[in-house]
Amino acid sequence: MSKAQTIFSELCVASAIFDGAEVEDIENVDEATAAIYRKELHSRQSKVSGKISINALVASGKAIRKYLLGNGVTPKQIVWTGKQNIGATVAVAKDIEVANYRISVKENANVFINGSPITVFEDMPSGLFGIKRKGDDWFLKIARDELQGYFLECKAYAKSASGFETIEDFYKKTAKEERKTFGAEVALLHKQKNQKVLLAYSALCQKVSTVSADIFNSKLVDFRKANPSISALQPIFHYFFRINGVKYILAGTENNKPFAVVLESSSDWTKKYQFLGITAAPRPAGQPEVLLSFRFKNVATKEEFVVDLKIEIRWSHGKFCGNPEAKIYKTWSYAALPWTENICL
């Protein structure tokens, strides 16, 4: 999401909490920020989809206001704290503050994490979250033979890579624009359903998905050996599911519809639920994917349940263009999670 979209979504919700107040009345909103907000507002008001997004964000803010009033809090002063979070990678952003309530705003944010595969599959299951590493080309690292086979099948039909025998040689001796040209030719081969190309790509997808999942599981086993207590896994769960040390409200839009939920603090969460572990498994799809299955137990009922996240692994700028990246997507709505209180009814 761009800076303008982020500012707009946060201030739109804040204004609704403040009973439709002008954005300039929100603390920490300067003239430059207000100008960005109004420009985005004007842009959205000119489109049907934009109007729908505005209405959804306002509905989310109104739901929060109703919740606060029901808890004896009249929103008389609202502080926008989101400015410091723009462009940052944080597990839980504090975008708005009302009295002692922290509010985080997400607009159609199905992507949890957008990082390098080495960060997602090696660092995170090792309990390392403050490190951002690019590392080597993930496809070359874990599926070199399959990538080479896919490259050769594509090269047999694409003119732009005819002078190269290996994928390493192609990467080393071509410029960005040349790789983009080849990528466009490869995309056309997929569109034309070239069977040899599709089979080679399927083999690459299967190898990347399987090995990536194996690496995640192996790193997690190593982490558990070094940290045998089940509570050692809690930071991993908290990071992925936005659980924080304090109770807060998460709100905004999901699939262009308003939502607002209350998430308990980590200490209150552990009184009601137990985090049992994570399992990574290859997920059959039209690209390399891994499914992360988080297992939990309801302390009161002893019932166990699973909540999944999906990881997509793909080139950052199209096939054979840019280093592979790993995007983690949620596959559920926040209101459907057992431990959230839905306040947007």
Side-chain angles (χ1 to χ4, degrees):
M1 184 178 290
S2 71
K3 178 180 177 181
Q5 290 174 304
T6 300
I7 289 173
F8 179 82
S9 61
E10 293 171 1
L11 294 185
C12 189
V13 170
S15 176
I17 296 172
F18 214 5
D19 204 21
E22 297 295 326
V23 292
E24 289 86 353
D25 295 329
I26 300 169
E27 192 171 327
N28 288 341
V29 177
D30 54 23
E31 290 184 8
T33 301
I36 292 172
Y37 169 86
R38 297 195 187 287
K39 182 178 179 180
E40 180 69 13
L41 174 64
H42 178 73
S43 175
R44 295 195 186 203
Q45 287 176 330
S46 65
K47 307 171 187 175
V48 173
S49 60
K51 291 178 181 178
I52 291 173
S53 70
I54 294 171
N55 292 336
L57 290 167
V58 169
S60 174
K62 287 182 176 179
I64 297 172
R65 178 177 176 83
K66 183 179 179 181
Y67 172 80
L68 295 175
L69 291 172
N71 283 274
V73 177
T74 301
K76 294 181 179 179
Q77 182 183 25
I78 293 186
V79 181
W80 177 56
T81 56
K83 187 175 184 179
Q84 65 198 47
N85 295 319
I86 294 175
T89 302
V90 290
V92 181
K94 182 178 69 172
D95 303 318
I96 304 166
E97 202 167 35
V98 182
N100 292 323
Y101 286 87
R102 292 172 49 161
I103 301 163
S104 178
V105 177
K106 302 291 181 186
E107 184 178 8
N108 296 330
N110 288 322
V111 179
F112 261 28
I113 298 167
N114 184 7
S116 68
I118 193 171
T119 295
V120 172
F121 294 107
E122 295 188 7
D123 292 343
M124 289 183 178
S126 301
L128 303 173
F129 303 111
I131 302 173
K132 294 183 70 175
R133 295 192 293 157
K134 287 187 177 180
D136 299 327
D137 184 299
W138 191 250
F139 292 165
L140 273 173
K141 180 180 179 179
I142 70 170
R144 190 272 170 190
D145 291 346
E146 289 75 14
L147 180 62
Q148 171 69 8
Y150 178 49
F151 172 70
L152 291 177
E153 288 296 347
C154 294
K155 187 177 79 78
Y157 301 96
K159 299 178 181 179
S160 58
S162 58
F164 304 97
E165 295 303 320
T166 68
I167 183 62
E168 291 91 346
D169 200 34
F170 173 73
Y171 281 153
K172 184 178 180 180
K173 297 181 180 179
T174 55
K176 180 180 177 181
E177 290 303 316
E178 293 174 285
R179 291 192 290 274
K180 285 178 66 176
T181 298
F182 180 58
E185 289 180 308
V186 172
L188 182 60
L189 292 173
H190 277 256
K191 187 176 180 180
Q192 294 171 341
K193 300 187 184 302
N194 183 297
Q195 289 304 303
K196 289 187 176 180
V197 169
L198 292 180
L199 284 172
Y201 182 63
S202 178
L204 173 65
C205 292
Q206 183 176 351
K207 182 64 176 290
V208 171
S209 301
T210 300
V211 176
S212 296
D214 289 344
I215 290 172
F216 186 99
N217 291 331
S218 176
K219 292 292 182 181
L220 193 63
V221 168
D222 292 342
F223 177 76
R224 288 300 305 277
K225 287 180 180 177
N227 304 273
S229 171
I230 189 66
S231 62
L233 285 174
Q234 293 288 6
I236 298 177
F237 159 65
H238 291 164
Y239 187 85
F240 279 100
F241 284 84
R242 311 301 195 219
I243 300 296
N244 203 7
V246 298
K247 182 178 182 178
Y248 76 104
I249 297 171
L250 183 62
T253 62
E254 289 183 308
N255 298 319
N256 298 315
K257 295 181 180 180
F259 85 96
V261 298
V262 179
L263 284 91
E264 296 180 286
S265 67
S266 55
S267 59
D268 287 337
W269 189 94
T270 54
K271 295 174 185 177
K272 299 178 181 179
Y273 300 96
Q274 184 181 0
F275 178 35
L276 302 178
I278 318 168
T279 302
R283 183 177 186 270
Q287 63 186 349
E289 290 191 10
V290 170
L291 193 70
L292 293 184
S293 296
F294 291 73
R295 294 181 294 110
F296 306 95
K297 178 189 286 186
N298 184 308
V299 174
T301 66
K302 307 301 181 183
E303 177 189 4
E304 294 187 12
F305 58 95
V306 174
V307 181
D308 295 328
L309 290 173
K310 179 183 69 172
I311 307 175
E312 296 181 359
I313 315 157
R314 57 172 179 256
W315 282 286
S316 55
H317 296 92
K319 290 179 173 61
F320 297 101
C321 297
N323 272 349
E325 59 185 6
K327 289 189 176 183
I328 303 179
Y329 291 82
K330 65 185 183 69
T331 59
W332 32 262
S333 67
Y334 283 107
L337 292 174
W339 51 79
T340 61
E341 177 188 355
N342 184 9
I343 62 174
C344 191
L345 302 173

